Amino acid sequence: MKKNVATEESMPHWLEDNYWTDALEEYYRSRDGGKSRIVLDIDTIERNAFNKDGPAYKLMEAMCSVKEHERWDGYPGAPKLMLALLAILEKLGKPKAWK
């Protein structure tokens, strides 16, 4: 359930961004399917690290939304974003990565 839906004065909540919600669902599907390890392609991650539209900058914006919208709830989005990021970073190294 979404809380603190964004207003005109505030930034959008990370739960409103399919980039993060799809990745979090992918993480849970993998975990629930029995997967217990992830493999990261370091070269691909480094190539994408400074991409202004890449995971690092998207994570920064998403974490800002956690700080803005969830401070009264103990910031529950922060660990969820970390789990979603793991799925995103793993998919970067795979052919035809999902979007």
Side-chain angles (χ1 to χ4, degrees):
M1 176 177 230
K2 295 180 187 177
K3 294 182 181 182
N4 301 321
V5 175
T7 64
E8 287 183 32
E9 299 86 34
S10 65
M11 68 183 341
H13 191 272
W14 70 271
L15 281 172
E16 298 171 10
D17 186 344
N18 289 343
Y19 181 80
W20 294 109
T21 56
D22 290 352
L24 187 58
E25 288 175 17
E26 176 66 22
Y27 172 85
Y28 287 136
R29 268 194 305 275
S30 294
R31 182 202 62 193
D32 294 345
K35 188 173 184 178
S36 63
R37 298 178 190 267
I38 61 170
V39 176
L40 301 178
D41 181 334
I42 300 297
D43 293 333
T44 302
I45 291 171
E46 286 184 10
R47 279 195 304 275
N48 284 277
F50 298 97
N51 177 345
K52 296 285 186 189
D53 295 321
Y57 291 95
K58 288 184 181 208
L59 179 62
M60 179 182 63
E61 290 177 6
M63 285 297 203
C64 286
S65 86
V66 167
K67 185 175 181 182
E68 180 178 334
H69 297 286
E70 299 179 7
R71 63 179 165 253
W72 298 279
D73 294 330
Y75 307 107
K80 292 175 184 175
L81 285 167
M82 184 199 72
L83 297 175
L85 181 63
L86 290 173
I88 289 166
L89 294 177
E90 182 180 38
K91 291 287 183 181
L92 278 177
K94 292 184 177 180
K96 297 181 182 179
W98 57 277
K99 303 271 182 201

